Amino acid sequence: MPLVKVDGVEIEVPQGATVLQACELAGKEIPRFCYHERLSIAGNCRMCLVEVKPGPPKPQASCALPAADKQEIFTNTPMVKNAREGMMEFLLINHPLDCPICDQGGECDLQDQSIAYGRGHSRYDENKRAVTEKYMGPIVKTVMTRCIQCTRCIRFAEEVAGVEEIGAIYRGENMQITSYLEEAVTSELSGNVVDLCPVGALTSKPYAFEARPWELRKTLTIDVMDAVGTNIRLDSRGRQVLRCVPRINEDVNEEWATDKTRHAVDGLVRRRLDKPYVRMNGKLVPATWDEAFAAIKAVGAGSSVAAIAGDLVDCETMFAAKMLVEKLGSTLLEGRQTGMAYDTSSLAAVNFNTTIAGTERADVILLVGTNLRWEAPLVNTRVRKAIKKGAKVFAIGPETDLTYKAEWLGDDLALLGALPDMVMEAFGKAERPMVIVGGGALKGGHGAALALVEPLGLVKDGWNGFNVVHMAASRMGGLMLGYAQAGGIADVMGAKLGFFLGADEVDFGKFAGFKVFVGHHGDKGAAVADVILPGVTYAERSGTWVNLEGRVQRGERAVFAPGDAREDWTIFRALSEVLGATLPFDSLEGLREEMYTAVPALRHQMLATFEWSVPSIEAKGEGVLAGYPIKDFYLTNAICRASPTMQRCSAELVHGEGFAEAAE
């Protein structure tokens, strides 16, 4: 490991580290615009200049210079100071004075660094150049006159998102960043370029002119748009969430978030259920809480009661509903609302055992019935990283664009019992083999996929390569709480009374009993319900969620719910008294203690450990995969369907509708 001196302080740095990284290890702040830890090195902004000895007597770009043994680095000499001031002058030659009207104001790298490293005045008085605006779709707003050509957006699109639709045209002072043919960027991760942009050239179009960062209250919570469990921060003002941005978590989402995670928040205030409703003479009419509870009590279902969990609910809600159902003498609980049936006797057999971060280390990957790009986009980015390290990917299912090259084997699940020789050969040589089974293949291929564990050597010391991709934020938590029947949701359809916990995707035509919808949006479930009890969204509750790898995570409440809506667990607590089955808690803390006693793994925010065991199920793969479970990435739940931004994304990016842009 090289030994270097940074401003007289001697430190040891890892082999292959750059001078910039060495300076940061020594606690020195190095300004930069083009350099980013997760992207390739461009070396084109020249703000990270330092003086290095031995070497030429001139400032050098520290981001692109390897650290060498016995190197002396100086970060604060007069030469370095003058060089940085000069570079800042160059960067500001054409930058417009847009700070008062720029959405990046208050959290802009250019603002911060011009104050810290700039001269305070400019010697240039030529006219500033102007660049025509570019269209990048419904997510990203462009003001390209502000662009300083750091190329972070280009490198992100190519290296992380895998959609090479952003690039540079022309040269020198005429250089411009644009999307391909100035069309919308089709990546489901495009919103991340807004965070990456160090100036105000790329900003959030749905959030434009909404607020300044210092006006917002910031709340740390967990995303529920998929099962990855992205760590997010909700920025709210008053009773409305205005913005969602990702938090850094190296084990889960790194520092990325999907466009759905970021921009479905405008659906939180639309189509909301804010009062109870009771169906009378075929029509839903507003009611009081007492009237709604009385209507449920009048059903007299006895022990024929079921609870069906939707995709977004937290563990606390599911546990409260479970306790009520059990107190009424029933065990009918189900969370796989879309009808998927697979063996849950071993949770390890339905878990993402390799872990999300561990995916990067795999050297051979077999995808079975999963469009990973839509089902878990931030797992898909890890597969891309594995490929960069040399991994080979095979896939069973209808061919689709995963943003990387995969060897498609066919769409028949019978292939699991007769994999081609090239696949067996690749897995035979692999040290860290991996199989990822998606929702499209679980029903007919769960047993066949598990039968591959031994032939492909998926489980060995320190490595478990068998993985299942869930698409619902509530799925793993629900399975840990027992929300699974042997025959799937068909087993609960005969109940006389059903509690639908935000479950909008159920085939309600098969449920003949009395339907109580406990949810937050007037969507499919509310339309057919006999009683509606208004609940809260993930932004309005403190809750626990378990992601697809079994990681227990907690989120905090950002805002309060509208009208008479109440937290779901309090609804079940109040209803239990009316039904004569009072639940044994009066607070969230009391509920959680009961839940921790029942499922100890939910107590700590960490990876839950499931003992590896393979259930005894039919090992024959049956059925041809005609498609994947997610038909429209942007409209997968009630919040998304209420979001104007997600509706626009669906129309334009999935269905190809054109939108005329008004002249500015």
Side-chain angles (χ1 to χ4, degrees):
M1 293 173 70
L3 202 64
V4 301
K5 268 188 182 179
V6 180
D7 291 339
V9 178
E10 197 168 62
I11 61 164
E12 203 172 35
V13 298
Q15 192 68 42
T18 63
V19 168
L20 187 149
Q21 290 168 328
C23 293
E24 292 196 329
L25 285 171
K28 300 294 180 180
E29 180 181 310
I30 303 296
R32 85 290 298 269
F33 291 111
C34 68
Y35 176 80
H36 192 276
E37 292 82 356
R38 302 183 200 278
L39 304 176
S40 61
I41 294 170
N44 54 12
C45 79
R46 318 308 282 184
M47 265 307 289
C48 63
L49 295 171
V50 296
E51 192 177 345
V52 179
K53 294 180 180 178
K58 64 176 184 178
Q60 299 191 60
S62 60
C63 68
L65 185 65
D69 200 34
K70 297 180 180 177
Q71 207 171 43
E72 288 190 70
I73 304 163
F74 303 94
T75 67
N76 54 10
T77 62
M79 179 196 291
V80 170
K81 183 174 183 294
N82 287 332
R84 289 175 180 171
E85 288 176 352
M87 282 313 307
M88 184 59 69
E89 272 190 277
F90 281 130
L91 289 170
L92 294 176
I93 285 176
N94 288 310
H95 197 78
L97 296 174
D98 279 354
C99 299
I101 57 144
C102 177
D103 273 321
Q104 200 83 340
E107 46 191 12
C108 173
D109 290 349
L110 188 63
Q111 275 184 337
D112 296 341
Q113 293 186 39
S114 64
I115 291 171
Y117 302 101
R119 286 186 187 276
H121 66 276
S122 175
R123 292 170 288 178
Y124 297 95
D125 56 9
E126 288 84 356
N127 292 330
K128 293 178 181 287
R129 74 164 189 166
V131 180
T132 55
E133 302 312 341
K134 313 299 180 186
Y135 182 68
M136 290 194 178
I139 297 297
V140 182
K141 178 177 185 286
T142 64
V143 184
M144 299 313 291
T145 301
R146 301 172 187 160
C147 179
I148 61 170
Q149 289 89 39
C150 70
T151 68
R152 281 185 180 182
C153 53
I154 298 174
R155 285 174 285 147
F156 172 83
E158 179 182 343
E159 297 165 14
V160 179
V163 178
E164 299 180 18
E165 294 178 357
I166 303 177
I169 57 175
Y170 312 134
R171 301 184 68 183
E173 189 184 30
N174 297 318
M175 180 178 172
Q176 298 179 24
I177 307 295
T178 183
S179 58
Y180 181 65
L181 299 179
E182 296 196 25
E183 296 286 333
V185 178
T186 59
S187 172
E188 62 287 343
L189 299 170
S190 65
N192 290 292
V193 300
V194 172
D195 289 348
L196 287 172
C197 184
V199 296
L202 305 177
T203 54
S204 170
K205 187 174 284 187
Y207 175 68
F209 309 123
E210 287 288 333
R212 287 299 196 184
W214 54 84
E215 299 177 308
L216 303 174
R217 184 173 67 251
K218 299 168 174 59
T219 308
L220 309 184
T221 189
I222 304 300
D223 173 55
V224 297
M225 295 297 142
D226 57 27
V228 172
T230 301
N231 287 221
I232 58 173
R233 190 190 79 211
L234 295 179
D235 292 351
S236 57
R237 184 176 59 196
R239 300 186 68 160
Q240 184 173 351
V241 175
L242 295 179
R243 183 170 68 165
C244 172
V245 293
R247 291 184 284 136
I248 295 177
N249 187 325
E250 300 293 351
D251 295 326
V252 182
N253 57 293
E254 299 180 284
E255 62 183 75
W256 315 126
T258 68
D259 292 348
K260 186 162 57 174
T261 296
R262 287 174 181 274
H263 296 295
V265 292
D266 58 356
L268 293 173
V269 294
R270 291 171 170 85
R271 301 187 191 172
R272 288 302 300 269
L273 299 171
D274 60 357
K275 60 173 70 74
Y277 288 83
V278 175
R279 191 174 294 277
M280 294 182 180
N281 301 321
K283 290 187 177 181
L284 287 168
V285 296
T288 65
W289 280 101
D290 289 339
E291 290 169 344
F293 286 169
I296 297 169
K297 185 178 181 180
V299 175
S303 61
S304 184
V305 183
I308 297 95
D311 290 350
L312 312 181
V313 293
D314 58 327
C315 292
E316 287 82 355
T317 296
M318 289 188 283
F319 184 72
K322 175 184 179 180
M323 288 195 76
L324 178 58
V325 167
E326 289 177 346
K327 276 187 171 288
L328 294 173
S330 176
T331 58
L332 295 175
L333 304 167
E334 186 55 69
R336 297 164 291 179
Q337 55 165 337
T338 53
M340 286 189 289
Y342 45 88
D343 195 298
T344 60
S345 57
S346 165
L347 290 185
V350 291
N351 187 48
F352 202 89
N353 297 293
T354 303
T355 72
I356 295 170
T359 304
E360 298 178 17
R361 301 171 54 219
D363 42 19
V364 177
I365 301 172
L366 173 64
L367 305 177
V368 182
T370 175
N371 177 3
L372 206 56
R373 181 177 174 183
W374 277 8
E375 293 171 14
L378 296 179
V379 175
N380 203 50
T381 61
R382 303 280 189 162
V383 173
R384 283 184 55 81
K385 291 174 83 171
I387 291 172
K388 287 181 182 178
K389 296 175 184 176
K392 188 167 180 59
V393 177
F394 300 96
I396 296 174
E399 287 195 33
T400 187
D401 180 12
L402 295 171
T403 74
Y404 46 80
K405 183 181 179 182
E407 190 83 32
W408 293 91
L409 306 176
D411 54 10
D412 191 345
L413 289 176
L415 281 165
L416 292 171
L419 288 171
D421 291 342
M422 63 175 177
V423 178
M424 299 302 294
E425 184 180 341
F427 272 88
K429 295 176 181 176
E431 293 181 13
R432 292 177 295 279
M434 188 175 181
V435 169
I436 301 177
V437 184
L442 275 174
K443 191 169 185 179
H446 190 203
L450 284 167
L452 293 174
V453 169
E454 281 196 33
L456 299 185
L458 298 180
V459 179
K460 54 187 73 175
D461 286 344
W463 181 262
N464 187 331
F466 184 82
N467 304 277
V468 169
V469 174
H470 296 296
M471 293 155 280
S474 63
R475 187 61 43 79
M476 278 305 293
L479 294 178
M480 292 169 71
L481 288 166
Y483 272 73
Q485 300 291 309
I489 200 165
D491 285 359
V492 307
M493 285 302 188
K496 291 182 181 178
L497 173 62
F499 293 107
F500 294 84
L501 316 180
D504 289 296
E505 321 303 331
V506 179
D507 184 355
F508 291 100
K510 295 180 179 178
F511 190 88
F514 192 84
K515 296 180 278 292
V516 178
F517 183 77
V518 185
H520 39 75
H521 276 75
D523 205 77
K524 302 172 186 175
V528 300
D530 296 300
V531 171
I532 294 174
L533 304 178
V536 299
T537 66
Y538 71 103
E540 297 147 7
R541 60 158 57 103
S542 296
T544 303
W545 287 270
V546 185
N547 75 352
L548 53 78
E549 60 182 350
R551 187 178 300 278
V552 179
Q553 302 184 109
R554 287 194 189 89
E556 299 301 325
R557 178 173 59 198
V559 292
F560 288 95
D564 288 334
R566 296 291 182 267
E567 289 191 54
D568 301 40
W569 73 265
T570 64
I571 294 174
F572 288 108
R573 172 62 180 83
L575 179 61
S576 69
E577 286 193 11
V578 175
L579 299 180
T582 305
L583 297 179
F585 49 80
D586 294 310
S587 65
L588 181 61
E589 291 71 23
L591 183 158
R592 282 178 171 169
E593 279 305 319
E594 294 281 345
M595 183 173 73
Y596 300 154
T597 301
V599 185
L602 293 175
R603 182 179 292 274
H604 303 291
Q605 296 191 64
M606 57 187 292
L607 274 175
T609 54
F610 306 118
E611 185 177 346
W612 175 252
S613 61
V614 178
S616 178
I617 49 180
E618 175 62 49
K620 183 181 178 184
E622 295 180 324
V624 174
L625 294 166
Y628 298 105
I630 296 179
K631 306 301 181 188
D632 189 329
F633 173 76
Y634 298 99
L635 300 178
T636 53
N637 58 62
I639 298 175
C640 292
R641 290 189 285 268
S643 163
T645 304
M646 292 298 99
Q647 292 169 14
R648 167 85 180 255
C649 286
S650 170
E652 185 169 356
L653 304 179
V654 177
H655 300 290
E657 293 184 25
F659 287 85
E661 286 292 297
E664 294 184 5

